[in-house]
């Protein structure tokens, strides 16, 4: 071993989930961003970024793009040329799919001149007829103030329609889970809905069960800390973190790595810890980069320990200087030189991805 086992104690959970920050102040940095692309299937393709901003209390702000802004649609499946006359005729005759298609076209300026109000009218008609796509788009637009003025009451109206829908097609389950997650936030904040912590927890659990990685992460935080009225349950917390991690949630990946590294809420498993830490480290988690370096040091793998500790240092973690020096002592001059080349290549490659 290069490092003493106690070095791991510098690692800790990522804890600033969107819902958790509403419930209580956290020691973590609240300015995070979570991006989940292709939340909806078929023609309803958009991405949602959830940013936490300190406005009295932490407020989650959803920003819709892709369909709403006409960007982000896969180049492998370009949008077909819109036959406005035909689609509008179908929509006027009550074709719900045509109403949604027309509404999104006017919002995105795809095949027609962009017209927010026309788009809203068609989407509203589709929503009244039960279109989950239209309800979701309108709810998120009113929630975020993207395309439409912010209106918590209207946002809650449409998002609740989606969240409470029964027998949703599996292709739209992720959309419903997202709506349920935001309804939970709105109940917790008293934003557009009468404030109710019990209902907030209820919808958070439903969203987590329905597959929302954000809800799974936030619920795991509550179980891990025993906060928000939840009893401490480390095992369930780590299970939820793993579900979120397996859907690409970087902060959850870090926490799963820590669960396996320390054996908190799960059986200690260094190989699993390396697996999840590596995913999170590649995704930009400085904590995972640091912990991965520490873990490799404990496993006696000097080159990998040096590599990841230097990556963490380059990402802003300046607390591990002594560990970097300790790892370097176990490298030859040639090995150290090679590692620096690989570090530079890694940093350049990841800078290009941003």
């Amino acid at each position: 071993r290069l490092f003493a086992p106690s070095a791991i104690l510098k690692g800790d959970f990522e804890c600033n989930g969107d819902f958790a920050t509403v419930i209580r102040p956290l020691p973590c940095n609240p300015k995070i961003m979570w991006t989940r692309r292709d939340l909806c299937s078929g023609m309803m393709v958009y991405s949602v970024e959830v940013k936490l901003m300190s406005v009295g209390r932490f407020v989650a702000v959803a920003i819709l793009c892709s369909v709403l802004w006409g960007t982000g649609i896969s180049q492998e499946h370009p949008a077909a040329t819109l036959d406005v006359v035909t689609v509008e005729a179908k929509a006027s005759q009550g074709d719900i799919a045509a109403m949604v298609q027309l509404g999104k076209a006017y919002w995105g300026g795809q095949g027609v001149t962009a017209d927010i109000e026309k788009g809203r009218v068609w989407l509203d008609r589709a929503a009244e007829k039960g279109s989950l796509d239209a309800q979701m788009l309108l709810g998120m637009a009113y929630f975020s103030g993207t395309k439409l003025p912010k209106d918590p009451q209207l946002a809650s109206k449409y998002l609740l329609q989606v969240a409470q829908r029964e027998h949703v097609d599996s292709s739209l389950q992720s959309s419903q889970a997202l709506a349920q997650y935001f309804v939970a936030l709105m109940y917790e904040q008293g934003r557009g809905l009468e404030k109710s912590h019990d209902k907030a927890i209820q919808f958070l659990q439903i969203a987590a069960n329905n597959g929302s990685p954000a809800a799974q992460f936030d619920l795991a935080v509550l179980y891990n800390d025993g906060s928000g009225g939840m009893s401490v349950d480390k095992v369930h917390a780590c299970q939820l973190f793993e579900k979120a991690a397996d859907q690409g949630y970087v902060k959850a990946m870090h926490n799963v790595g820590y669960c396996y590294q320390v054996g908190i809420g799960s059986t200690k498993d260094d190989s699993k810890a390396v697996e999840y830490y590596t995913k999170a480290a590649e995704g930009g988690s400085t904590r995972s980069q640091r912990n991965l370096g520490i873990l490799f040091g404990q496993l006696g793998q000097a080159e990998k320990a040096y590599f990841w500790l230097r990556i963490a240092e380059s990402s802003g973690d300046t607390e591990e200087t002594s560990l970097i020096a300790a790892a370097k002592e176990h490298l030859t001059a040639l090995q150290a030189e090679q590692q620096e080349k690989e570090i530079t290549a890694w940093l350049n490659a990841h800078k290009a991805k941003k």
Side-chain angles (χ1 to χ4, degrees), residues 60-126:
V61 180
I63 304 174
L64 294 180
C65 52
S66 191
V67 164
L68 299 188
W69 292 330
T71 62
I73 296 177
S74 171
Q75 295 303 308
E76 297 176 5
H77 304 285
T81 302
L82 183 69
D83 183 344
V84 181
V85 175
T86 299
V87 175
E88 190 156 356
K90 289 181 178 180
S92 298
Q93 293 168 8
D95 187 312
I96 298 175
M99 293 178 189
V100 175
Q101 185 180 6
L102 203 57
K104 290 190 292 185
Y106 276 117
W107 272 15
Q110 297 171 355
V112 294
T113 301
D115 189 319
I116 302 301
E117 179 57 19
K118 282 186 178 180
R120 184 201 65 77
V121 169
W122 283 115
L123 288 173
D124 194 50
R125 290 181 185 178

Side-chain angles (χ1 to χ4, degrees), residues 52-354:
L52 297 184
M53 299 184 295
S54 182
V55 185
R57 302 190 72 183
F58 293 116
V59 180
V61 180
I63 304 174
L64 294 180
C65 52
S66 191
V67 164
L68 299 188
W69 292 330
T71 62
I73 296 177
S74 171
Q75 295 303 308
E76 297 176 5
H77 304 285
T81 302
L82 183 69
D83 183 344
V84 181
V85 175
T86 299
V87 175
E88 190 156 356
K90 289 181 178 180
S92 298
Q93 293 168 8
D95 187 312
I96 298 175
M99 293 178 189
V100 175
Q101 185 180 6
L102 203 57
K104 290 190 292 185
Y106 276 117
W107 272 15
Q110 297 171 355
V112 294
T113 301
D115 189 319
I116 302 301
E117 179 57 19
K118 282 186 178 180
R120 184 201 65 77
V121 169
W122 283 115
L123 288 173
D124 194 50
R125 290 181 185 178
E128 288 178 359
K129 291 182 176 292
S131 167
L132 187 146
D133 283 8
Q135 292 165 352
M136 187 70 184
L137 283 170
L138 288 167
M140 295 300 288
Y142 281 121
F143 184 94
S144 66
T146 303
K147 295 297 181 183
L148 297 174
K150 283 186 183 181
D151 189 322
Q153 279 68 41
L154 284 175
S156 66
K157 168 189 169 182
Y158 290 112
L159 291 175
L160 269 174
Q161 287 175 353
V162 177
Q164 295 176 329
R165 179 82 67 91
E166 296 182 1
H167 311 301
V168 171
D169 187 272
S170 59
S171 65
L172 296 172
Q173 185 174 327
S174 60
S175 295
Q176 185 181 45
L178 183 66
Q180 290 160 346
Y181 176 65
F182 277 103
V183 167
L185 290 176
M186 296 175 83
Y187 270 123
E188 182 63 24
Q189 298 168 354
R191 182 184 180 196
L193 292 168
E194 185 176 353
K195 187 175 176 63
S196 171
H197 178 68
D198 290 342
K199 288 185 178 179
I201 292 294
Q202 176 188 351
F203 274 96
L204 186 67
Q205 291 174 322
I206 292 171
N209 291 337
N210 212 8
S212 164
Q216 290 163 349
F217 179 86
D218 289 356
L219 194 57
V221 170
L222 301 184
Y223 277 117
N224 180 69
D225 296 348
S227 58
M230 312 298 282
S231 299
V232 173
D233 189 336
K234 301 287 186 181
V235 172
H236 192 37
C238 286
Q239 290 171 343
L240 286 167
F241 281 136
E242 192 158 355
K243 287 181 179 181
D246 290 343
Q247 295 190 73
Y249 203 117
V250 173
K251 289 179 180 293
M253 293 175 191
H254 171 85
N255 289 358
V256 175
Y258 188 65
C259 286
Y260 281 119
Q261 185 182 10
V262 185
I264 294 178
S266 63
T267 303
K268 191 177 186 318
D269 187 329
D270 287 338
S271 63
K272 282 283 191 179
V274 168
E275 175 189 344
Y276 280 98
Y277 275 151
T278 300
K279 291 177 182 178
E282 291 287 349
S285 170
T286 302
R287 289 184 177 186
S288 286
Q289 293 161 0
R290 177 194 62 197
N291 282 12
L292 195 53
I294 291 172
L295 179 54
F296 277 128
Q298 292 178 333
L299 297 174
Q301 300 182 42
E303 288 179 279
K304 291 182 178 179
Y306 181 77
F307 177 89
W308 284 111
L309 289 170
R310 280 280 292 108
I311 293 294
E313 182 183 50
S314 298
S315 299
D317 186 343
T318 59
E319 299 179 4
E320 313 304 337
T321 304
S322 62
L323 295 180
I324 293 173
K328 192 172 184 179
E329 287 178 1
H330 290 77
L331 303 179
T332 65
L334 186 60
Q335 287 175 322
E337 182 180 355
Q338 181 59 33
Q339 286 302 305
E340 287 298 329
K341 289 180 181 179
E342 292 182 11
I343 289 164
T344 299
W346 189 95
L347 292 171
N348 289 336
H350 285 70
K351 186 183 298 182
K353 291 179 183 179
K354 293 181 179 179

